[in-house]
Amino acid sequence: MRKKIAAANWKMNLTLEQGEKLIQGILDADVKLEDDREVVVCTPFPYLMAAKEMLKDHAHFFTGAQNCASEKSGAYTGEVSAEMLQSVQTDFVIIGHSERRQYFNETNELLLKKTLLAMEYGLKVIFCCGEPLEIRKENKHEEYVQKQLVETVATLSADQIENIVIAYEPIWAIGTGHTATPQQAQEVHAFIRSHIAKRFGNDVASQMTILYGGSCKPDNAAELFACEDVDGALVGGASLKVNDFTAIIRELVNSKS
Ligand code: 13P
C-alpha cells in the first residue's frame, strides 16, 4: 500500500511552547486518518521528545528530525546522531534538504552516509531532491534530480529503499510563494518514479511515497494531491499555522488513493 503523507518541516522556527500549542491544535482538529495516510511533524531537535510524548497515542502521527550526523558517535561537537534520534523514538529524519545542501555544503556523498546511518538506527528517511531556478530555466531539471538520486538512494538495496520517502522540492518554489504547477510537479514525480522502477522494479516504485515540497498551502494542496504521482507534501511555512496545516491534512485525507 502506497502511503500518503503530510509532513511538517518547522525548520528553525517556534519556541517549545509555540510548538506544543501547534501540535495540540492539530490533534484537536481530530482529522480522521485512514490506514494509508500519515502525518509527520519534523521539529527542531530539542522538541522531539515533547512532540513524541504528545503524538505517541495517536495512530498515524509521527515525529521527524530535520537532519542527523554523518558519523556514528564521538568527538563531533554540536552534532546529533541517528542513534540519539532513535533513543528518543524519532520516526523519520529529513536528509538532503536544499537548505542543508546550500548553507552547510552537504554533498550527495555525505547525504548517503547520513541516510545509511539513519536506516541502521531504524529511522525512515525523507530524502529531498530538487533543482535551482537556473537549471529549471535550462530545462535540465530531470537530469539534475536524477544525478541527486543516482548518487544517493539509487545505490541502496531493495530492502533499504523501502525506508525511503522521496521529497521533490524545487528550490525556486521553497518559501517563495511560487508553487510548481500540478503539471510541473506531476511530470517530475512521474520521472522519479520511473527512475526508481528502472533501478528497483515496478513493485518498489509503485509503493514509493513521493512528496512535493515548495509553497504548498491549503489553497493549492488539493490540486497537487490530485496528481497521480504526488503522494502528499513536505510543508514549510504553512505547517507553522494550525489552520493551514490542518487544512492540508484534510486535503490529504480527501485525496483519492
Ligand atoms: P515552504 O512550504 O515554506 O515553501 O517550504 C518548503 C520546504 O522547504 C519544506 O521542506
Side-chain angles (χ1 to χ4, degrees):
M1 181 168 51
R2 193 197 295 177
K3 294 250 163 72
K4 296 206 172 202
I5 300 177
N9 177 8
W10 290 1
K11 309 190 181 184
M12 199 172 72
N13 291 297
L14 307 177
T15 61
L16 174 61
E17 195 185 337
Q18 291 167 335
E20 285 177 336
K21 257 199 195 149
L22 174 53
I23 291 178
Q24 196 53 55
I26 295 163
L27 292 175
D28 289 347
D30 202 22
V31 182
K32 297 279 174 284
L33 295 161
E34 290 179 25
D35 278 353
D36 62 343
R37 315 280 143 132
E38 295 182 349
V39 174
V40 182
V41 185
C42 300
T43 75
F45 291 133
Y47 311 159
L48 282 167
M49 286 175 75
K52 188 69 196 177
E53 189 54 33
M54 295 182 80
L55 298 176
K56 70 176 195 292
D57 297 327
H58 296 268
H60 312 289
F61 281 82
F62 300 93
T63 57
Q66 300 169 18
N67 179 30
C68 70
S70 58
E71 301 297 330
K72 230 177 196 175
S73 66
Y76 299 100
T77 302
E79 289 291 273
V80 174
S81 71
E83 186 178 21
M84 293 171 188
L85 295 177
Q86 182 194 45
S87 76
V88 294
Q89 283 84 48
T90 306
D91 304 293
F92 286 80
V93 57
I94 298 172
I95 292 181
H97 195 282
S98 58
E99 288 150 16
R100 295 219 54 93
R101 293 176 187 262
Q102 193 179 343
Y103 307 136
F104 302 95
N105 303 320
E106 295 194 348
T107 60
N108 287 335
E109 193 186 348
L110 183 95
L111 297 173
L112 178 59
K113 279 178 82 179
K114 292 188 177 203
T115 301
L116 291 168
L117 276 173
M119 289 189 306
E120 187 179 331
Y121 289 99
L123 297 160
K124 294 210 165 119
V125 174
I126 299 176
F127 191 90
C128 303
C129 59
E131 79 286 353
L133 186 59
E134 320 79 87
I135 298 288
R136 167 64 67 162
K137 280 187 179 153
E138 290 170 16
N139 202 26
K140 293 200 174 128
H141 48 285
E142 291 190 349
E143 240 172 277
Y144 187 93
V145 167
Q146 177 163 296
K147 183 167 166 20
Q148 289 180 319
L149 300 179
V150 163
E151 294 181 359
T152 57
V153 293
T155 67
L156 301 177
S157 68
D159 286 348
Q160 289 171 323
I161 195 77
E162 289 177 6
N163 299 304
I164 305 286
V165 168
I166 292 180
Y168 169 60
E169 299 205 311
I171 297 171
W172 46 271
I174 296 177
T176 58
H178 298 296
T179 324
T181 63
Q183 292 74 15
Q184 285 173 320
Q186 168 57 27
E187 200 177 273
V188 180
H189 282 230
F191 172 76
I192 292 171
R193 201 179 301 285
S194 71
H195 177 70
I196 295 294
K198 272 189 217 138
R199 167 69 185 85
F200 297 100
N202 284 333
D203 284 356
V204 169
S206 69
Q207 296 298 310
M208 171 151 261
T209 300
I210 307 177
L211 306 180
Y212 167 78
S215 301
C216 177
K217 309 272 179 233
D219 61 2
N220 58 32
E223 54 180 16
L224 287 163
F225 298 167
C227 299
E228 192 180 333
D229 291 293
V230 177
D231 308 315
L234 180 55
V235 186
S239 77
L240 301 172
K241 299 190 193 111
V242 173
N243 291 345
D244 284 2
F245 194 56
T246 303
I248 291 172
I249 297 172
R250 284 213 175 86
E251 296 299 354
L252 188 85
V253 167
N254 293 338
S255 65
K256 42 182 192 21
S257 296

